[in-house]
Amino acid sequence: MLRLRPLVWIVALAALVLADAARAQAPKPGSKYYEDTSNLGFKVKTPDGWELIPPAPDDRNLIAKFDPATNKEIQITPESVLKLHMWLVKLDPPPAADAKEKSASQPRIRGAKDLTEWIQSEMAREAKLTSTKEFEVNKVKAIEHVFSGGNAKRGEFKVYAVLFKLRPDADVALVFNGPGEAKRWSKYEIEFDKFVRTFRAIEVKTSEAPVAAGDSLRDKRRAKLQASLATTPGWSLLETPSYFVVSNSDDRDFLAEPKERLEAIRKFYEVDYPAARVAEIRAAAPKTGDRSQDPEPGTDVAKPALPAQSLEVSLEMSKTSVVRVCANREQYISYGGPPSSAGFWNPGTEELVLFDDKASGGRADTWAVLNHEAFHQYIFYFYGNIAPHSWYNEGTGDFYSGYRYGRNKKFTLEKFDWRDPLIKESLREGRYVPLEQFVRMTKAEYYDQTTIGRNYAQGWSLIYFLRTGKKNNAKGWNPQWDSILDTYLTTLASTAQINTAVEQAYAGVDMAELEAAWIAYTR
């Protein structure tokens, strides 16, 4: 689930990117090597001052990506820029394991079968191979590939890739991109060749591979994370009782905060979604589980929703939650975060990803994202990959974003300042969706780019009303509304039928009465 910023920020950011497109230079080899001594056995020099971006857990090909620390892009036409990268890519036969098999330590793997497929998936589908050349580097056979893509209107680019025949069962490719215009490209190609000449095979030291300290899920996940960090220098692992925090930030004071906040906000999830209630729902639900792709809200999908494992295993899995904190927004986007988002929870890789927003929106935004996405992460382990209506799903995440962490290191619930002003404006202008229609909106309708900001604000305000209205003596509160949220989740979790869930939740509710009370409370 993507965590979206207020739309004003998105528009302003887009304008900023276009206005400040930096003119980067061709990368030059630095003094440092990237070394892999635990798996493939090779080393190659990296660009001077560039930052390492690790692969996502479900990426079979990427070994590491490197981005310029500053001047990250070049202008290739008056209207477009090209972001520069260096990639290290592994190309080998796909694993023989059943593709359907998936657990906390085995995400569904995606990858390309050869270099051309990888280039076309990462750069552009229209990228075409224009030349190849075989040679040898430090006794390793190599094949140079040059690809071309783009057009005169939006800019032409080229890709320089050298495939090293490192082992019979695995090739390693060093890949760069650059401007397609001939005169400029020749300068980049000269520098790329300097990197290629530093590539060499080295000994694999299997004794250095991390070994799980025990047989628990936590021990195994820790060992797997340590193995990935061994090949991504600059990234480190921090632990709390329920979380693994992976980050490349060098700000120790900052990194102490997500550790504290994650455990503190989790206590509120545990109160609102207690294990005892999960046990009751599971007892009445089908005994099999399904973690396949989210069904589209608005359609009933007749398949079990709850995970197949026992509640005890779910509890253990939830205490191996992984949170990746990138040092800044640019690295977050390079890792895979959509530019209009501020964070996301990926149920396929079981990883929550966000970034230190000190430089732009401020760290208050970072913590709002953390509270929201950690909620999605928490309930995943108990309810599986269910897909509630967005008013419930995103509205509940935003409800937790309203919790503010005080100097006493305790959370206090407040109205969420990203959403509260906008929903009040929507109500004043009559630009809201009637609740009868709103609670049945499909995901596509909810995420419509013309109304998405207002929909998020309305979803937050509805959840806020249903969770706090009774306690705050909301005018006209009807006790019939007490059970709406619990009935919705219980029905959805046990049946996976989204239409049935909303009908059961609002059965017998006078929607006009509910809407009037919600509007009065929100105003």
Side-chain angles (χ1 to χ4, degrees):
M1 298 80 176
L2 298 180
R3 186 70 173 82
L4 300 178
R5 292 178 173 275
L7 293 186
V8 172
W9 184 92
I10 298 170
V11 174
L13 177 66
L16 184 65
V17 169
L18 291 176
D20 291 344
R23 294 184 175 273
Q25 301 296 318
K28 299 182 184 302
S31 59
K32 295 181 179 179
Y33 280 86
Y34 175 90
E35 296 189 20
D36 180 349
T37 60
S38 61
N39 184 18
L40 295 168
F42 74 92
K43 71 176 186 177
V44 64
K45 279 194 172 181
T46 59
D48 189 25
W50 285 29
E51 302 165 328
L52 187 151
I53 308 298
D58 62 345
D59 191 327
R60 181 166 61 89
N61 298 125
L62 185 64
I63 299 170
K65 179 166 65 170
F66 296 84
D67 292 353
T70 59
N71 297 339
K72 297 176 182 291
E73 52 203 18
I74 55 173
Q75 201 87 36
I76 54 175
T77 74
E79 294 80 26
S80 61
V81 297
L82 177 69
K83 291 185 178 293
L84 295 180
H85 305 284
M86 167 183 146
W87 295 265
L88 284 169
V89 181
K90 178 180 65 171
L91 296 160
D92 56 7
D98 184 354
K100 294 182 179 179
E101 183 181 357
K102 182 169 176 285
S103 69
S105 59
Q106 293 178 313
R108 195 182 300 278
I109 301 299
R110 55 187 171 86
K113 64 180 182 296
D114 56 39
L115 183 59
T116 297
E117 182 182 333
W118 188 86
I119 295 293
Q120 290 178 343
S121 64
E122 290 297 318
M123 315 296 178
R125 277 290 165 196
E126 75 270 19
K128 301 296 183 184
L129 180 63
T130 56
S131 68
T132 61
K133 181 178 69 174
E134 295 189 12
F135 59 108
E136 190 172 279
V137 177
N138 297 315
K139 299 182 180 181
V140 178
K141 291 183 179 181
I143 308 172
E144 176 191 277
H145 300 72
V146 178
F147 295 80
S148 297
N151 55 52
K153 182 177 180 181
R154 62 184 178 87
E156 297 177 351
F157 67 89
K158 286 192 175 182
V159 179
Y160 180 88
V162 174
L163 191 69
F164 296 96
K165 310 299 289 185
L166 189 63
R167 302 188 336 200
D169 62 338
D171 298 335
V172 171
L174 179 63
V175 184
F176 291 93
N177 63 341
E181 188 268 319
K183 186 175 180 180
R184 297 175 75 187
W185 171 251
S186 63
K187 296 179 181 179
Y188 279 75
E189 197 169 23
I190 289 171
E191 296 300 328
F192 296 158
D193 183 68
K194 294 178 183 178
F195 288 91
V196 171
R197 301 300 167 181
T198 70
F199 187 96
R200 60 187 67 235
I202 59 176
E203 180 184 358
V204 174
K205 301 176 182 178
T206 55
S207 60
E208 295 181 358
V211 177
D215 292 329
S216 71
L217 288 175
R218 188 171 179 85
D219 289 330
K220 293 175 182 178
R221 175 157 283 185
R222 180 190 298 108
K224 185 172 183 178
L225 288 169
Q226 289 171 336
S228 69
L229 292 172
T231 57
T232 53
W235 291 76
S236 58
L237 177 63
L238 305 170
E239 291 191 46
T240 77
S242 303
Y243 294 90
F244 292 109
V245 179
V246 179
S247 181
N248 65 334
S249 173
D250 57 6
D251 187 333
R252 291 179 177 270
D253 291 337
F254 164 71
L255 288 176
E257 283 213 58
K259 292 173 62 180
E260 292 178 0
R261 288 169 175 269
L262 281 163
E263 292 294 344
I265 194 65
R266 183 184 176 94
K267 290 180 171 59
F268 289 89
Y269 306 151
E270 291 172 344
V271 169
D272 295 338
Y273 295 88
R277 184 70 183 115
V278 178
E280 292 175 6
I281 294 172
R282 288 187 178 212
K287 302 304 180 184
T288 58
D290 190 321
R291 283 186 166 188
S292 60
Q293 184 67 31
D294 287 359
E296 167 65 12
T299 61
D300 271 355
V301 181
K303 64 180 182 183
L306 294 173
Q309 71 268 3
S310 68
L311 180 57
E312 290 73 21
V313 172
S314 292
L315 282 166
E316 187 179 2
M317 290 173 66
S318 78
K319 292 185 178 180
T320 67
S321 297
V322 177
V323 179
R324 182 177 296 273
V325 185
C326 300
N328 53 56
R329 178 179 178 275
E330 291 77 15
Q331 293 176 10
Y332 165 80
I333 293 173
S334 187
Y335 182 74
S340 61
S341 71
F344 66 93
W345 155 245
N346 186 339
T349 62
E350 299 181 37
E351 185 177 68
L352 188 167
V353 186
L354 67 159
F355 61 94
D356 181 357
D357 205 8
K358 179 181 179 181
S360 50
R363 284 177 175 165
D365 287 359
T366 303
W367 308 134
V369 172
L370 186 73
N371 289 3
H372 179 116
E373 298 301 337
F375 157 71
H376 293 314
Q377 186 177 42
Y378 173 81
I379 66 168
F380 169 80
Y381 290 107
F382 300 105
Y383 294 102
N385 206 14
I386 62 172
H389 285 88
S390 296
W391 66 266
Y392 182 95
N393 199 30
E394 304 299 357
T396 303
D398 276 348
F399 173 79
Y400 292 110
S401 289
Y403 277 89
R404 292 291 177 265
Y405 200 54
R407 291 182 179 179
N408 60 357
K409 297 188 177 182
K410 293 182 179 180
F411 275 110
T412 302
L413 178 61
E414 298 178 9
K415 293 183 176 181
F416 185 25
D417 54 8
W418 285 17
R419 310 301 181 205
D420 188 44
L422 184 53
I423 186 58
K424 287 179 177 175
E425 176 186 285
S426 298
L427 292 175
R428 284 195 305 269
E429 298 176 355
R431 299 176 64 188
Y432 66 92
V433 181
L435 291 188
E436 180 81 37
Q437 175 186 344
F438 184 72
V439 298
R440 293 171 173 81
M441 286 178 71
T442 66
K443 190 178 291 186
E445 291 169 337
Y446 201 88
Y447 289 104
D448 185 312
Q449 291 303 303
T450 62
T451 58
I452 185 171
R454 294 183 184 279
N455 293 338
Y456 260 78
Q458 185 168 340
W460 162 78
S461 67
L462 179 57
I463 296 295
Y464 186 83
F465 171 66
L466 292 174
R467 283 201 174 275
T468 67
K470 180 180 181 179
K471 180 174 60 178
N472 292 339
N473 299 313
K475 185 178 180 180
W477 181 266
N478 187 331
Q480 187 181 18
W481 306 337
D482 294 354
S483 61
I484 287 176
L485 295 180
D486 184 65
T487 300
Y488 179 88
L489 180 63
T490 300
T491 306
L492 178 61
S494 59
T495 69
Q497 297 185 5
I498 198 164
N499 287 341
T500 302
V502 79
E503 297 304 329
Q504 289 289 329
Y506 291 96
V509 171
D510 184 326
M511 296 302 287
E513 178 190 13
L514 176 66
E515 184 172 304
W518 160 70
I519 290 174
Y521 187 76
T522 303
R523 282 177 172 167

